[in-house]
Amino acid sequence: MFKQDFKYYKSKKPPPSYENVLDFDSENILHKVIKRERITTNSSLFGLIPTEEWEIYDIKENPGLVFIKNPFTRLGQRYWITRCLKSYPETPNKTNLDIHDLIPHNETWWESSKGDNEMLKKLRWATFGYHHNWDTKIYSENSKSIFPKDLYFFTKHFAETLSFNLFNPEAAIVNYYHLDSTLSGHTDHSENNLEAPLFSFSFGQTALFLIGGESIDVKPTALYLKSGDVIIMSKKSRLCYHGVPKILNCVNKSWNLNENFDKDELIEDFIDKNVLNLCCDNDKWERFNNYINNSRININIRQVLRKGEIKVNK
Ligand code: OGA
Ligand code: MN
């Protein structure tokens, strides 16, 4: 069932009907989801609207799957897009380009792809913290880089707001998608700790996301992941099949909406000030803007170790 639906939504000819895709901008989904009560402990963090204003949903067909409708400010979206393009693909983080040795050693991918569209399109993933090993799927103490402070505190904020107080961000994958990219169905089961939730942030163009059951025979739910949307795969949904059969051009470029930058937005110590400057200056932002106008970026964050474990024992 998963494969069949994946193929259906991936198809260009004939194009699929989107009528059954959950769209959190539409009123028609209310029988399929449960909207949570607003959070009353008002707290906020750089780049996010106050937690009181978050719209959080549980999806009836997929217990454990939590959806937060874009809680980011415009500046917040720009910040994470810029981090993912400028900083996270830098060594010692790993990317799919490493083995090809395409980038001069004194340059970063972002620098060397300036004016080089081919190079720009070549980056598909970056990993940091414990590196995801795409072949063996085994994490190793010998293969890790520092987990960046900003993403660490940020993910903790999401976790604590949703009462996953013990969650510890230890591994991240950033996926870079173009309008013709797909991600085939899979489960994420390599972490020693499979009770901990998995956090996923989406920016840029819209993904059509499928999530089914622990077996490939379960018919998946189809939903849109738009710029700024967050999903959490927890409990029963943590080990479910999921994938991205299609990227769609978004309607609403919410990273460019004409709200004023909030000059009073509290700037925490762990925010990268250079990156922030790039986002606030429309000229400097231009290259990042061109990229995200045709691409999607997904950051997904996992805990690897079990409680009390100090290293992976493999
Ligand atoms: C992954 C993944 C989903 C997405 O990297 O494991 O499932 O939304 N990504 O890109
Ligand atoms: Mn996955």
Side-chain angles (χ1 to χ4, degrees):
M1 288 292 262
F2 189 94
K3 285 197 171 142
Q4 225 171 329
D5 285 40
F6 192 93
K7 217 168 143 188
Y8 174 77
Y9 282 112
K10 186 179 168 183
S11 164
K12 294 202 172 99
K13 279 183 193 169
S17 156
Y18 295 110
E19 145 185 80
N20 290 325
V21 182
L22 275 187
D23 181 350
F24 287 84
D25 283 324
S26 152
E27 296 282 305
N28 305 340
I29 61 160
L30 294 173
H31 61 291
K32 293 187 177 170
V33 300
I34 301 161
K35 190 171 180 177
R36 291 199 185 173
E37 296 282 322
R38 290 201 177 267
I39 291 163
T40 49
T41 48
N42 189 4
S43 67
S44 70
L45 190 72
F46 162 77
L48 290 171
I49 60 176
T51 48
E52 258 185 345
E53 294 169 27
W54 291 10
E55 281 182 43
I56 308 174
Y57 297 88
D58 293 287
I59 298 162
K60 288 183 189 165
E61 283 284 313
N62 302 75
L65 181 66
V66 184
F67 180 96
I68 309 175
K69 190 169 160 181
N70 177 20
F72 291 84
T73 64
R74 175 173 64 137
L75 188 54
Q77 290 198 47
R78 288 189 177 197
Y79 178 82
W80 293 107
I81 292 166
T82 308
R83 282 293 267 162
C84 289
L85 293 174
K86 189 180 176 299
S87 327
Y88 295 157
E90 285 188 49
T91 42
N93 294 351
K94 291 194 176 180
T95 75
N96 63 301
L97 301 176
D98 294 349
I99 48 164
H100 304 294
D101 217 12
L102 296 169
I103 301 167
H105 288 294
N106 53 355
E107 273 189 15
T108 65
W109 163 78
W110 185 245
E111 287 163 355
S112 78
S113 61
K114 196 169 179 181
D116 183 347
N117 252 340
E118 291 259 304
M119 180 63 99
L120 208 57
K121 279 197 90 176
K122 281 197 171 108
L123 183 71
R124 302 308 310 274
W125 54 261
T127 58
F128 47 86
Y130 281 108
H131 295 295
H132 181 74
N133 185 319
W134 300 86
D135 302 321
T136 64
K137 312 269 185 215
I138 295 171
Y139 291 103
S140 155
E141 288 302 322
N142 302 326
S143 180
K144 60 179 183 184
S145 58
I146 288 170
F147 198 99
K149 268 209 173 106
D150 55 356
L151 190 60
Y152 182 88
F153 286 115
F154 197 77
T155 312
K156 284 285 265 186
H157 176 70
F158 274 93
E160 280 161 17
T161 305
L162 296 173
S163 303
F164 295 112
N165 294 327
L166 297 176
F167 183 78
N168 197 35
E170 290 165 341
I173 303 177
V174 183
N175 293 297
Y176 303 85
Y177 294 84
H178 309 294
L179 292 169
D180 54 359
S181 310
T182 61
L183 176 72
S184 43
H186 65 277
T187 60
D188 293 302
H189 53 259
S190 308
E191 296 71 28
N192 287 9
N193 186 333
L194 294 170
E195 279 81 56
L198 185 157
F199 290 79
S200 161
F201 307 131
S202 295
F203 299 105
Q205 305 308 308
T206 301
L208 203 161
F209 183 78
L210 297 183
I211 177 158
E214 291 191 24
S215 134
I216 200 133
D217 300 329
V218 176
K219 187 175 175 63
T221 300
L223 58 133
Y224 294 119
L225 295 180
K226 301 180 190 180
S227 196
D229 289 345
V230 179
I231 56 169
I232 300 105
M233 291 164 64
S234 75
K235 304 187 179 115
K236 266 202 144 98
S237 78
R238 176 62 180 81
L239 289 172
C240 289
Y241 273 90
H242 58 282
V244 179
K246 190 170 275 162
I247 305 292
L248 298 155
N249 267 125
C250 67
V251 180
N252 193 346
K253 295 179 178 171
S254 50
W255 57 93
N256 279 345
L257 286 185
N258 202 13
E259 76 193 49
N260 287 323
F261 287 132
D262 184 358
K263 298 274 187 316
D264 298 327
E265 212 166 346
L266 192 67
I267 306 293
E268 285 83 358
D269 293 347
F270 52 79
I271 292 301
D272 185 318
K273 303 297 182 303
N274 290 332
V275 164
L276 193 59
N277 286 335
L278 296 172
C279 311
C280 292
D281 178 329
N282 277 329
D283 288 341
K284 295 197 173 112
W285 165 252
E286 181 68 20
R287 245 193 101 203
F288 299 101
N289 192 46
N290 289 341
Y291 183 95
I292 206 66
N293 276 343
N294 295 295
S295 313
R296 167 177 186 258
I297 297 176
N298 169 261
I299 316 177
N300 65 85
I301 300 121
R302 302 117 191 258
Q303 175 167 347
V304 173
L305 303 175
R306 286 186 289 255
K307 190 169 176 276
E309 227 174 4
I310 51 165
K311 53 182 176 181
V312 284
N313 48 2
K314 288 184 178 115

